[in-house]
Amino acid sequence: MSATEVSASANAIVIAKFGGTSVADFDAMNRSADVVLSNPNVRVVVLSASAGITNLLVALAEGLPAEVRAEHLAKIRQIQYAIIDKLTTQSVVRDEIDRMLDSITTLSEAAALATSNALTDELVSHGELMSTLLFVEILRQRDVVAEWFDVRKIMRTDDHFGRAQPDCAALGELTRSQLQPRLAQGRVITQGFIGSEAKGRTTTLGRGGSDYTAALLGEALGASRIDIWTDVPGIYTTDPRVVPTAKRIDQILFEEAAEMATFGAKVLHPATLLPAVRSDIPVFVGSSKDPAAGGTLVCNKTENPPLFRALALRRKQTLLTLHSLNMLHARGFLAEVFSILARHNISVDLITTSEVNVALTLDTTGSTSTGGNLLSSALLTELSSLCRVEVEENLSLVALIGNKLSQACGVGKEVFGVMDPFSIRLICYGASSNNLCFLVPSADAERVVQTLHRSLFE
């Protein structure tokens, strides 16, 4: 399915979001500019940082020694200057990028003395601020009316730095008063991933949050479609890098795509879809490298959704097994476990129980802070006072996404009949009719996905 096949009606607003690889360098930015200009309905453009920049900024925020810091700063400068050097008029944008680079240097020196999540967000936000400044310049050199807009003016969030939650009511109000009037003058270029809390400090929505920004703005503006432009032409039956024979899905339900995103498919950010689902806004996913290749439309209804839709893989999973004889016929044990986890800001992903054991997984992907610090010694000490705790790492989660899985006959045989060569650490099935999940050793994860894909999709 191509973007033009699902083009919006006249005068409707389309939000176009471009990921890091789509704004990685001068050529990539120009290809993305072509995509924007090919559709007059694209009024708002949301950008990620240029590929590689966010990782360098996150590293700087962790507090690096002077020598390594200088190397990282030089790499950031080199990536952005490779774009500036190809612009015909450079002076204004060069000055602005230099100001940003100075700010990054100052903040990274501060991080070397003491790190904090608030400082990390302030530092990391510079990636999106720089890419949008450069993209506006690229459009202006084509005589396109384009305005740079600081999304922090409207993206109000709480102060949970690293994974802030937007205030949708405030965002809606501010978008209509500050952003909407600008759309009559030309295209607006703004940042994904970043926002600001009540005191005006910069926050981030978690890694991959640029998609979420696009969907939130789409909802606030009553957009007719949200286009997510990335480096793959759509959503596939599994990651084509793991299974080269994976097939593209032309249309997929919101529920299926949300399950895929939640369980590790990199194409969409899990929270992206919430505003789109609420407001019934279709989401198109395509490749900025090859817009003509078509893509996937995520929507509320599709014809005959299949039993098995896709496989998703999520690495770096941590399994906690809690053992206590006090659980036997007792009340309140799980409530106590969950309240301890809640106090430490940890959400449980999958859970299975027996008479005296509870096994649960913690997903360590998603926020700008690293996963390793989820299991603090304070948390383990508190849990240990309640029960015996075992921690297992180097596990991966494989999720089979589908429709009415829990009502269908023979699913267990079809799935587990081909899993003889592998050990399975935990199975979750029945809570949702859209997924069947299991944990396997990370060393086996790719072979498990390849085996299942061959059996179920080829």
Side-chain angles (χ1 to χ4, degrees):
M1 177 165 291
S2 72
T4 46
E5 279 178 78
V6 288
S7 65
S9 59
N11 77 13
I13 294 171
V14 173
I15 312 279
K17 177 261 168 178
F18 294 89
T21 52
S22 300
V23 289
D25 53 34
F26 183 78
D27 293 338
M29 281 197 172
N30 272 293
R31 282 195 297 271
S32 297
D34 292 338
V35 172
V36 170
L37 300 179
S38 69
N39 184 352
N41 290 325
V42 173
R43 309 306 295 162
V44 179
V45 179
V46 175
L47 300 187
S48 296
S50 298
I53 295 276
T54 300
N55 290 340
L56 290 164
L57 291 169
V58 168
L60 285 169
E62 286 164 3
L64 297 173
E67 202 175 303
V68 187
R69 196 162 68 236
E71 284 171 15
H72 280 53
L73 290 164
K75 276 184 200 158
I76 292 169
R77 184 185 174 83
Q78 183 190 341
I79 292 169
Q80 306 296 235
Y81 258 73
I83 300 169
I84 293 172
D85 290 342
K86 291 190 175 174
L87 293 168
T88 47
T89 51
Q90 302 173 355
S91 56
V92 177
V93 76
R94 185 194 276 120
D95 291 347
E96 288 181 20
I97 296 295
D98 282 343
R99 264 201 300 279
M100 295 272 170
L101 293 168
D102 289 344
S103 172
I104 292 167
T105 305
T106 308
L107 290 165
S108 61
E109 284 164 2
L113 299 172
T115 61
S116 76
N117 288 340
L119 177 61
T120 299
D121 280 5
E122 181 66 38
L123 190 44
V124 170
S125 69
H126 285 71
E128 278 69 19
L129 296 170
M130 291 191 293
S131 67
T132 45
L133 285 167
L134 293 165
F135 194 73
V136 166
E137 203 52 46
I138 277 176
L139 288 175
R140 284 179 182 161
Q141 294 201 354
R142 297 182 174 206
D143 297 324
V144 174
V145 178
E147 181 185 354
W148 186 83
F149 182 80
D150 189 337
V151 80
R152 292 173 296 184
K153 290 179 181 171
I154 58 174
M155 186 62 72
R156 284 283 170 274
T157 71
D158 62 15
D159 62 0
H160 187 63
F161 297 100
R163 209 177 207 170
Q165 290 300 316
D167 175 344
C168 291
L171 170 66
E173 227 168 89
L174 291 165
T175 300
R176 287 185 286 278
S177 65
Q178 295 195 38
L179 180 61
Q180 199 152 18
R182 290 174 155 85
L183 303 185
Q185 273 87 54
R187 289 178 169 90
V188 170
I189 314 303
T190 195
Q191 306 77 33
F193 176 59
I194 67 176
S196 68
E197 45 87 82
K199 293 177 189 163
R201 292 177 296 174
T202 299
T203 55
T204 64
L205 307 180
R207 296 301 286 270
S210 293
D211 293 353
Y212 194 20
T213 303
L216 286 163
L217 294 180
E219 181 177 49
L221 290 166
S224 61
R225 198 178 73 232
I226 296 151
D227 290 350
I228 306 281
W229 294 98
T230 173
D231 53 359
V232 286
I235 299 174
Y236 282 69
T237 46
T238 194
D239 185 342
R241 287 165 299 192
V242 176
V243 181
T245 50
K247 302 175 181 72
R248 188 175 67 217
I249 303 163
D250 280 344
Q251 282 199 9
I252 187 170
L253 291 167
F254 277 124
E255 291 87 347
E256 298 171 307
E259 295 273 355
M260 285 184 73
T262 302
F263 290 112
K266 293 282 191 294
V267 178
L268 288 172
H269 184 261
T272 305
L273 298 168
L274 298 176
V277 173
R278 279 196 301 257
S279 301
D280 194 11
I281 303 170
V283 177
F284 178 78
V285 182
S287 166
S288 62
K289 288 179 180 169
D290 187 6
T296 301
L297 187 69
V298 187
C299 47
N300 258 341
K301 287 194 184 76
T302 67
E303 295 294 312
N304 307 318
L307 179 64
F308 301 130
R309 176 65 91 182
L311 286 162
L313 172 61
R314 193 163 70 190
R315 303 170 203 268
K316 289 190 189 168
Q317 300 300 289
T318 301
L319 180 68
L320 280 190
T321 306
L322 312 176
H323 174 85
S324 172
L325 293 173
N326 296 339
M327 276 178 70
L328 206 56
H329 308 305
R331 297 191 180 105
F333 177 80
L334 270 180
E336 213 165 329
V337 168
F338 277 102
S339 72
I340 291 172
L341 291 168
R343 274 200 296 281
H344 291 268
N345 264 333
I346 288 180
S347 58
V348 172
D349 199 28
L350 305 180
I351 180 165
T352 61
T353 64
S354 72
E355 282 295 340
V356 292
N357 286 309
V358 179
L360 44 90
T361 64
L362 311 174
D363 178 28
T364 57
T365 57
S367 105
T368 43
S369 48
T370 54
N373 59 21
L374 276 182
L375 291 175
S376 62
S377 53
L379 166 67
L380 293 173
T381 305
E382 208 173 331
L383 284 172
S384 299
S385 66
L386 187 68
C387 53
R388 193 176 81 234
V389 181
E390 285 174 39
V391 180
E392 287 174 64
E393 287 177 324
N394 296 324
L395 294 166
S396 290
L397 177 71
V398 176
L400 174 62
I401 314 298
N403 293 281
K404 299 186 178 170
L405 291 175
S406 52
Q407 288 111 60
C409 299
V411 169
K413 185 180 177 186
E414 276 200 74
V415 174
F416 298 111
V418 295
M419 295 281 284
D420 285 356
F422 309 106
S423 67
I424 299 170
R425 185 62 193 82
L426 175 147
I427 297 170
C428 261
Y429 179 44
S432 157
S433 61
N434 287 108
N435 73 58
L436 187 171
C437 308
F438 41 93
L439 277 186
V440 296
S442 286
D444 292 338
E446 292 202 354
R447 282 190 303 134
V448 167
V449 171
Q450 288 157 357
T451 303
L452 281 171
H453 195 275
R454 205 162 40 241
S455 166
L456 303 176
F457 294 96
E458 292 171 41

